[in-house]
Amino acid sequence: MSHEPSAGPRIVITGLGLVTPLGIGKEAFWDALAAGRSGVRRVTSIDVSALPSQIAGQVPGFEPQSYLPPKEARRITRASQFAVAAASLALEDARLQVDPDRRQDFGVLIANGGSSPPETEKMVLDMEAGGYDRMSPFHVAGSLPNMPSCQVAIHFGLTGYISAISTACAASSQAIGEAAQVLARGEATWMLAGGTEGPISRYCLAGFAALRALSTRNDDPEGASRPFDADRDGFVLS
């Protein structure tokens, strides 16, 4: 049985927002990509000396306060911070402003595999050190996989279609495809779609290391991510 796709409305990508280990913004990202630079470095934000894999793709120079009020930035996860920043850049690139009278026409579909490993690790350690009242009251709700989508909607005041996808490494690609389907069905006029992840933590690095899934090419971090190479020894957390 064959299926011929029916002619539907044309779906157009009008703006890009990138917050990546290669740079923030599409120009910085493209320049680094075209130059063949790697975004993988030794992890410096946490102590990884006891771990077999000590490298990752971090986002250098990211200041959440450039995109969010300081109080709001402190209350949400790093993955949600990335999502709001990327959405801001995408709207700017598209030269699109949210009309308050058309907030219901904007939809959000932001994917992730697990949005809050660093924050979850910190909350568990805080609880073990000082009891449950050391935990942030914002953590449990803020760590849910749908929160990057929700935080983008809250930040921009969007009231239309909002959802999330959490299908591991395929999540972001699936979110873009699903967003196109939402537009084709007429459930939104504009969609902010993509993915975010903020996994850099000892908990996450240790977990994947226990699976023997991570590269241990610590002496050559820029050459560690080589998915199609015969000498590949694992992937790199990013």
Side-chain angles (χ1 to χ4, degrees):
M1 180 181 293
S2 64
H3 173 70
E4 294 295 331
S6 59
R10 188 181 182 201
I11 308 301
V12 180
I13 296 175
T14 56
L16 300 174
L18 294 126
V19 179
T20 82
L22 287 180
I24 298 172
K26 66 177 186 180
E27 290 82 7
F29 174 81
W30 178 254
D31 288 346
L33 198 66
R37 292 197 294 272
S38 171
V40 180
R41 300 286 187 276
R42 182 178 176 83
V43 174
T44 57
S45 57
I46 54 175
D47 180 10
V48 295
S49 58
L51 298 175
S53 181
Q54 302 172 2
I55 55 179
Q58 302 167 99
V59 182
F62 177 70
E63 296 291 343
Q65 292 83 3
S66 298
Y67 307 93
L68 290 152
K71 182 183 289 188
E72 187 178 341
R74 288 195 300 271
R75 289 179 173 178
I76 67 177
T77 65
R78 190 162 178 82
S80 289
Q81 292 173 353
F82 287 158
V84 172
S88 300
L89 293 170
L91 287 169
E92 181 182 345
D93 188 43
R95 300 178 184 177
L96 181 62
Q97 292 186 334
V98 178
D99 183 344
D101 295 329
R102 301 200 63 183
R103 292 182 300 169
Q104 73 281 358
D105 295 330
F106 283 82
V108 186
L109 185 51
I110 308 294
N112 63 86
S115 70
S116 60
E119 293 83 8
T120 299
E121 177 184 278
K122 182 179 185 303
M123 287 301 101
V124 171
L125 292 174
D126 286 350
M127 182 180 68
E128 289 297 309
Y132 85 93
D133 55 350
R134 290 282 299 276
M135 295 184 67
S136 166
F138 301 104
H139 173 68
V140 171
S143 65
L144 300 174
N146 65 302
M147 287 313 294
S149 287
C150 290
Q151 292 298 341
V152 168
I154 290 169
H155 183 75
F156 293 104
L158 310 180
T159 58
Y161 180 101
I162 300 175
S163 189
I165 285 174
S166 185
T167 48
C169 299
S172 298
S173 297
Q174 185 177 344
I176 294 170
E178 292 291 334
Q181 291 297 313
V182 173
L183 292 170
R185 294 196 301 266
E187 295 186 49
T189 303
W190 300 280
M191 287 292 293
L192 287 167
T196 186
E197 207 72 73
I200 311 302
S201 62
R202 285 175 295 178
Y203 154 70
C204 211
L205 282 163
F208 280 113
L211 284 172
R212 305 291 193 271
L214 295 181
S215 171
T216 57
R217 206 179 295 271
N218 299 319
D219 57 343
D220 180 26
E222 293 188 1
S225 182
R226 46 176 73 193
F228 307 109
D229 194 284
D231 293 327
R232 176 183 183 270
D233 70 330
F235 68 82
V236 178
L237 203 65
S238 182

